[in-house]
Amino acid sequence: MDRRTRRWPFAGPPLVLPGMFVRTTMGKVKYLDGVLRLRGRHSGSRSGHALLPVPLCLVVVILVADVLTNQGSQLGPLLIVAPALTSSFAGPRLTGAMGVLAVAGQLLVPVLKGGVLTPGYEIQAAGIAVVSLVLVALSARSDVRERQLERTQNVATEAQAVLMRPLPRRCGSLHIATDYIAAELHAQIGGDLYAAVHTGGATRLVIGDVRGKGLPAIKDSSLLLGAFHSSAYRALSLPRMAVHLGSALTWHWERAADEDPLDAGESFVTALLLDFPDETETVEMITCGHPPPVLLHEDRVATLETGSPGLPLGLVAATEDEYAVDTFAFRTGDILLLYTDGVTETPGPGGAFYPLTERITDCHRPGGPEELVQCIHEDLLRYAQGRLTDDAALVAIQRIR
């Protein structure tokens, strides 16, 4: 696997997710030999150690200033700034060490001035010690909570990876690259979904967008993905698959409404269902209210508009007759780009939506699907000035020999 830098919002120990090609708008992640290594604050206390000279210099400056001033001035209480500043970037141990240094400095001031240790200096040193102990306790509590948050995020990372398994880079006669850009911090998946199954001499693929956000959208996504895998391995036709997916969503929402009427509400999923035969250079597609894919053939870019688009899944109780299968040529070397409306509905500085079909021409240069989605990813973030308002998913598929 190529070594590339991707974006990721989590911190923690290495997590093995082979073949995954996912980035989010916060944090960093690197692929190294198929192992996903997550890096965050706790992965490098070196960053905290790099800031340690700052409070040390403050201690020295305060002590020198206190010694050089007259006997009536007392700058020693300002030494409490050193442990307070240390607690903002380091743990309880360094905070406690800086507190000890501040107390020692306060007790050393009268000696350096050529006087004796008076009760006033002792009271000030005791005050610095008490405040330092409070800072150590707060730092320890914050450290425990941050580690608990990291463990929770790591569990969420693995759980979300199980819900939406990464697409294989090679599936039958297809070369696939995916890119998921999460708008929410600490999220990898939301309402956007995709999955692929190779069975019966063809590759079945779905990309969809669930209405809504948060946990309800993730529940609907996981349900739809499970229904897709079961129907794909049963070799259902595309119209029967669409009916099966829509019925699964409808039953799920009706059961949820019966269990808790407060959760009842209208929802639906826009989706594309595609079938790529291994032996013929075509693609069969059913559109369920989803944005049409873009076909890149040689130097031409075309949108695959369907003649009779179907309704979104789960909106109504549909039958097979309501879904028509469209067949398009998909030759060796062609790239088919699938996306969700989080891409085309990303507003720019002037409020205009991202013009995918216009900008994809600049990204369509010699290279595979990975280069295409990477280029669109970077261009999309530049267009949105670094922050998306909705999740966005990209799936680039190239037919190979």
Side-chain angles (χ1 to χ4, degrees):
M1 181 176 295
D2 296 337
R3 298 187 178 187
R4 299 176 180 176
T5 300
R6 300 291 181 244
R7 299 184 179 271
W8 199 271
F10 298 102
L15 172 66
V16 178
L17 290 176
M20 201 166 186
F21 186 73
V22 179
R23 287 171 290 172
T24 58
T25 57
M26 301 293 292
K28 293 182 179 180
V29 64
K30 288 187 177 180
Y31 281 95
L32 295 178
D33 301 327
V35 178
L36 190 60
R37 301 186 180 273
L38 306 178
R39 298 184 177 182
R41 282 186 57 190
H42 284 296
S43 66
S45 57
R46 293 174 297 179
S47 60
H49 293 165
L51 295 175
L52 197 57
V54 177
L56 288 174
C57 290
L58 286 176
V59 171
V60 174
V61 170
I62 293 172
L63 288 177
V64 172
D66 200 2
V67 171
L68 295 179
T69 54
N70 56 55
Q71 293 290 337
S73 64
Q74 293 185 2
L75 303 179
L78 295 178
L79 292 171
I80 192 59
V81 174
L85 180 61
T86 305
S87 66
S88 66
F89 62 81
R93 293 184 179 180
L94 286 179
T95 301
M98 197 59 62
V100 171
L101 184 61
V103 172
Q106 175 63 21
L107 296 176
L108 188 62
V109 166
V111 178
L112 296 176
K113 285 187 174 183
V116 295
L117 187 62
T118 62
Y121 282 107
E122 293 177 353
I123 293 175
Q124 291 174 0
I128 294 176
V130 171
V131 176
S132 297
L133 289 176
V134 173
L135 291 173
V136 169
L138 293 176
S139 179
R141 184 179 181 184
S142 176
D143 192 63
V144 170
R145 288 187 174 182
E146 191 167 347
R147 291 183 184 276
Q148 290 176 345
L149 177 61
E150 287 185 1
R151 287 194 293 267
T152 302
Q153 290 173 353
N154 289 333
V155 172
T157 300
E158 298 184 23
Q160 293 178 27
V162 171
L163 287 178
M164 191 169 70
R165 284 169 280 182
L167 300 186
R169 295 186 63 188
R170 177 70 181 270
C171 192
S173 59
L174 306 178
H175 183 191
I176 304 176
T178 59
D179 187 9
Y180 196 103
I181 314 172
E184 295 287 340
L185 181 64
H186 303 318
Q188 298 170 40
I189 66 171
D192 293 359
L193 59 97
Y194 46 73
V197 170
H198 184 262
T199 179
T203 298
R204 291 261 171 109
L205 191 144
V206 63
I207 183 171
D209 186 359
V210 179
R211 177 181 179 269
K213 297 181 179 180
L215 287 178
I218 294 177
K219 290 180 181 178
D220 295 341
S221 297
S222 62
L223 176 72
L224 187 66
L225 290 173
F228 167 77
H229 283 95
S230 64
S231 60
Y233 284 115
R234 289 164 55 195
L236 298 182
S237 64
L238 288 183
R240 291 187 62 188
M241 179 183 290
V243 173
H244 176 73
L245 298 182
S247 300
L249 292 170
T250 302
W251 295 335
H252 168 68
W253 293 328
E254 290 179 352
R255 184 175 67 252
D258 292 339
E259 295 175 355
D260 188 357
L262 296 178
D263 289 340
E266 296 182 357
S267 187
F268 58 85
V269 179
T270 65
L272 279 178
L273 301 176
L274 303 103
D275 205 344
F276 298 88
D278 291 340
E279 301 300 329
T280 60
E281 294 188 335
T282 60
V283 55
E284 299 176 356
M285 181 180 70
I286 284 183
T287 304
C288 305
H290 198 79
V294 177
L295 178 65
L296 291 81
H297 174 69
E298 296 178 351
D299 295 330
R300 296 190 298 272
V301 177
T303 301
L304 300 188
E305 297 284 356
T306 180
S308 53
L311 293 175
L313 301 174
L315 192 61
V316 296
T319 62
E320 295 182 33
D321 297 335
E322 299 180 28
Y323 294 104
V325 178
D326 294 284
T327 302
F328 302 94
F330 187 51
R331 301 178 179 87
T332 300
D334 291 354
I335 297 179
L336 188 65
L337 180 67
L338 316 178
Y339 56 93
T340 58
D341 58 10
V343 176
T344 53
E345 294 182 4
T346 294
F353 289 153
Y354 181 73
L356 176 63
T357 54
E358 298 176 11
R359 293 183 174 250
I360 199 175
T361 305
D362 297 331
C363 291
H364 183 34
R365 50 181 178 261
E370 287 92 351
E371 287 75 9
L372 177 64
V373 295
Q374 181 180 0
C375 178
I376 296 176
H377 174 101
E378 295 170 353
D379 186 58
L380 182 63
L381 289 182
R382 283 194 300 267
Y383 188 84
Q385 296 182 332
R387 190 67 177 177
L388 301 186
T389 58
D390 193 10
D391 295 345
L394 292 165
V395 179
I397 308 161
Q398 184 178 39
R399 184 177 290 278
I400 58 179
R401 294 188 183 277

